[in-house]
Amino acid sequence: QRTYIVIDLKSFYASVECVERGLDSMTARLVVADPERTEKTICLSISPAMKRLGIHNRCRVFEIPKSVDYIMAQPRMQLYIDYAAGIYGIYLKYISKEDIHVYSIDECFMDVTNYLPLYHMTARELGQTIMADIFREYGIRATCGVGTNLYLAKIALDITAKHSPDFMDEETFQRTLWDHKPLTDFWRIGRGIAAKLEKYGIHTAGDIARTDEDFLYKLFGVDAELLIDHAWGRETATIAAIKSYKARTNCLTSGQVLGCDYSFEDAKLIVKEMMDLLCLEMVEKNLVSDSVTLQVGYSRQLAVESSRGTASLDAETNADIILVPAVSALFERIANPNLAIHRLNISVNHVIEEEYRQYSMFTDVQELERNRKLQTAMLDIKKKFGKNAILKGINLQETSTMQERNQQIGGHKSGIYKDGGNKSKECGKEREGAEHKAGGKRDGR
């Protein structure tokens, strides 16, 4: 029997912003959201004090009651990454990296089985020691879940962390949580799965465990296996298995939700920019591909399914002079020119290491080599002087989003700007800050 702990950094982005301002995250009313966007923008994180007012996490700005006085902090993604890296360093003081699985920027699993005799501690005591170290070094509060497998540790964190006296095992799970509602409290059960189960009178984990397995396989296919195992509190995956896993195929992806609805021609420009960035990423990682998939999503106001298509190439490449025209032609083939476009996703499929690529008989090798030198030079300049230090002509057009995206991490502002850049296309009414709220404060630090 193994013992796992999972540590979650409470309201991580909001807590970091509170620490940076010398505020107590438990009492300060703070939300992390971009004040330059409209009031429909999502709050990336809200402080515990906001949650105690009944405001739910990941809410939109306009959903916060006008009477609430709070600070709006602009996202600083690079700062959060720096904090997370420092906190990971604290984990390494106690646990080897081979026994750590970083699940997200604010959540981490650890196999502590072999460490408990070394430290003469229980799993809970070790978790509390690590959390105290995090708070002492960074001022960030955390919660901890303990279980005999990864799933039960996660459940102990999400549902019973405040009440469980020791740790969660299968017997405890079945005894205490088989009747727990709602089902959506359980890891990997979203509203769609819960609604599908409720149609057949299945409302709890115990109901799932008692349901005929063949029926569940008919409903969910192979995904039923995970649903059934979790209903019994079982999880066969280990951190060692996660570390040793290798995917059969690899891909690189890029997605963008546009600030507003774009026309056919404007969206094609964005597709070219996205493909251009993916080409540079492949060059940097010494990868090539012979296939690109594009998905085009239309305006939310239209009840229209997304368009999707794939372009296959004669040989593997990472050259922008080949891939950008290919994805542009694919866009013209699959996108509806009469509909407003709001979402774009590109996937470069079956990527392999560059040394394994093969040229076709019709490849102009010298031209590709010249293009490769140009791409490498662009990468060197961007690394030294900033991503916006060198741009192409299309990146200077009004509807371009390249310069703004170059200053973002994960679609949000990095907080570190080494170079200037144009604003993305303004849509409809002007972007609104936080001033419109009753008593609201705007803090763009």
Side-chain angles (χ1 to χ4, degrees), residues 3-10 91 95 106-110 112 116 122-132 134 140-147 150 152-168:
T3 303
Y4 296 88
I5 66 174
V6 54
I7 291 181
D8 175 65
L9 307 175
K10 295 184 67 172
Y91 299 150
I95 310 294
D106 61 351
E107 202 164 323
C108 187
F109 288 91
M110 303 177 207
V112 299
L116 302 182
T122 66
R124 180 169 293 277
E125 288 170 343
L126 179 56
Q128 290 172 336
T129 300
I130 295 173
M131 290 190 294
I134 293 170
I140 304 295
R141 291 180 172 86
T143 54
C144 179
V146 184
L150 293 172
L152 291 177
K154 177 69 172 169
I155 291 300
L157 173 73
D158 291 344
I159 301 179
T160 66
K162 296 178 181 178
H163 313 291
S164 178
D166 192 0
F167 64 87
M168 181 75 67

Side-chain angles (χ1 to χ4, degrees), residues 420-437:
N422 64 339
K423 290 287 185 181
S424 64
K425 181 179 179 182
E426 298 292 348
C427 307
K429 60 182 180 179
E430 295 181 0
R431 293 180 175 185
E432 298 171 295
E435 298 93 338
H436 67 281
K437 297 173 201 63

Side-chain angles (χ1 to χ4, degrees), residues 247-378:
R248 293 180 182 177
T249 61
N250 295 304
C251 67
L252 294 177
T253 62
S254 175
Q256 189 171 165
V257 178
L258 301 172
C260 64
D261 294 341
Y262 270 48
S263 68
F264 180 85
E265 289 299 325
D266 289 343
K268 184 166 70 170
L269 182 145
I270 304 302
V271 167
K272 291 179 180 179
E273 289 187 328
M274 292 168 66
M275 189 69 252
D276 194 33
L277 279 180
L278 281 172
C279 289
L280 288 177
E281 184 178 353
M282 284 194 287
V283 171
E284 185 177 23
K285 296 178 178 179
N286 294 312
L287 300 172
V288 291
S289 171
D290 63 356
S291 171
V292 181
T293 298
L294 173 66
Q295 185 171 359
V296 179
Y298 300 101
S299 172
R300 293 191 181 100
Q301 298 177 1
L302 304 173
V304 180
E305 290 188 3
S306 300
S307 300
R308 182 185 176 89
T310 299
S312 298
L313 308 173
D314 295 331
E316 295 91 354
T317 186
N318 53 24
D320 54 12
I321 58 174
I322 294 177
L323 286 167
V324 172
V327 78
S328 180
L330 175 61
F331 174 82
E332 292 178 349
R333 176 164 60 86
I334 68 171
N336 189 327
N338 300 315
L339 299 180
I341 295 170
H342 196 72
R343 300 179 308 280
L344 295 165
N345 288 280
I346 300 177
S347 175
V348 182
N349 311 312
H350 316 130
V351 293
I352 59 173
E353 293 184 14
E354 192 163 6
E355 52 262 36
Y356 297 117
R357 74 172 172 183
Q358 297 179 356
Y359 292 113
S360 73
M361 293 178 59
F362 308 102
T363 300
D364 186 338
V365 178
Q366 290 184 339
E367 184 182 10
L368 289 181
E369 285 302 316
R370 285 194 299 270
N371 186 73
R372 173 58 182 261
K373 290 179 180 178
L374 179 61
Q375 289 178 295
T376 302
M378 290 181 65

